[in-house]
Amino acid sequence: DMVEDDPAKLVFVLVDEVESLASSRGSGGTGDPTDAIRAVNALLTSLDRLRAFPNVLVLATTNLANNVDNAFVDRVDLKVHVGLPIVEARFQILESAVKELHRVGILKELEEQPEGPSFKEGHKKEPSGAIDPSNCSSTLLSCAREAEGLSGRALRRLPLQAHIQCMGGTNEEVLLSDFLRALISAIRVEHQSMRYL
């Protein structure tokens, strides 16, 4: 309706986890296969109808690319693989969590700059890869490096695990240096748990 009402408007359609709608019809999944085939056929027909509108952009995401129906994949103009976060992105994810914990009063102090840690500062101060919990940027950079292979979702979860480890059942503020040590430990535990999956 939006597309037909205002052809000058650019409309984005996002289908997250597209494999749930466009699962491979040859995969023999559970449930009624006839219903699954009908659902994929309806999706494909809808996509074909949308092609008539130059103001529509369909974006689809999946973590299970091999489970997406070939006919759907054939209709895709551009396929982009988005890998795991690089070191700077991992640093920024951890940095935002530290800043938020400080903002809400859970962490006692942010050393170095009033605005908190920065990737450039950590890179300047920590060329050797040594961990120095008294230097927030340096230690966050070490954490980011150690978190190689972890997803953004896992990285977001780790500061909470580190905070729980630091609290030890109390409700007090946590020293940043203690929190950063616990964060390094949480990253190592996450890597260890991934080995068993």
Side-chain angles (χ1 to χ4, degrees), residues 15 17-30 32-49 66-75:
V15 183
E17 298 180 6
V18 72
E19 73 279 354
S20 63
L21 289 175
S23 61
S24 179
R25 291 173 285 184
S27 66
T30 59
D32 186 352
T34 306
D35 289 341
I37 290 171
R38 282 190 193 124
V40 173
N41 289 341
L43 175 65
L44 296 174
T45 302
S46 297
L47 284 175
D48 290 340
R49 283 200 329 254
N66 293 335
N67 294 355
V68 178
D69 191 80
N70 287 334
F72 179 87
V73 174
D74 287 344
R75 285 167 170 78

